[in-house]
């Protein structure tokens, strides 16, 4: 049994759903109609682009004549939890509260910016960054 990361798990779950749907000889549209969503949404689940909730998985399993647990057989999920200190939790909550206080457009722009930031030290750009903020506009 191999341990899967979230995105790998979503793709594996989607492949299992697609396989079960194919065996049941149902189209994506027919499955979507049965579970109350569009064929496009079924396609997103099958490709692992959207995570399948427990409630949706139960509907899918029922529509395909399966038990929900069958979709998990042989899969071990990465369950490593990284503990956070109380100070880190407070800092995260403070940032979240500040973001919630922004206008919807400003929130979107902040989230776009955050999406561009490196996630690990390996993703950091090489070279000195001591003057990196000099080009940023400052609030008056």
């Amino acid at each position: 049994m191999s341990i899967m990361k979230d995105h790998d798990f979503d793709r594996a779950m989607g492949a299992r759903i697609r396989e079960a749907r194919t065996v049941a000889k149902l189209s994506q549209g027919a499955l979507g109609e049965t579970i109350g969503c569009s064929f496009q949404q079924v396609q997103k689940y099958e490709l692992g682009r959207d995570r399948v909730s427990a409630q949706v998985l139960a509907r899918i399993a029922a529509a395909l004549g399966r038990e929900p647990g069958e979709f998990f057989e042989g899969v071990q999920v990465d369950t490593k939890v990284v503990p956070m200190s109380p100070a880190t939790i407070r800092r995260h909550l403070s940032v979240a509260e500040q973001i919630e206080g922004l206008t919807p457009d400003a929130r979107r722009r902040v989230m776009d910016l955050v999406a561009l930031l490196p996630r690990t030290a390996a993703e950091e750009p090489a070279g000195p960054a001591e003057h990196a903020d000099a080009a940023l506009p400052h609030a008056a």
Side-chain angles (χ1 to χ4, degrees), residues 118-126:
R119 300 283 182 234
T120 66
E123 295 176 1
E124 287 284 345

Side-chain angles (χ1 to χ4, degrees), residues 34-103:
T34 303
I35 66 170
C37 70
S38 67
F39 81 89
Q40 293 98 330
Q41 186 60 53
V42 172
Q43 186 176 55
K44 289 177 186 177
Y45 291 144
E46 290 184 354
L47 294 173
R49 290 188 183 142
D50 281 2
R51 182 160 294 156
V52 180
S53 71
Q55 181 180 29
V56 170
L57 183 61
R59 283 192 241 141
I60 290 170
L64 299 175
R66 304 280 181 107
E67 291 295 320
E70 291 179 46
F71 294 96
F72 295 96
E73 289 176 3
V75 176
Q76 185 176 352
V77 180
D78 181 7
T79 57
K80 183 175 90 174
V81 176
V82 179
M84 284 193 272
S85 71
T88 300
I89 293 170
R90 283 191 301 276
R91 191 171 56 248
H92 288 190
L93 289 173
S94 173
V95 169
E97 288 170 354
Q98 291 174 36
I99 291 172
E100 279 302 308
L102 298 173
T103 65

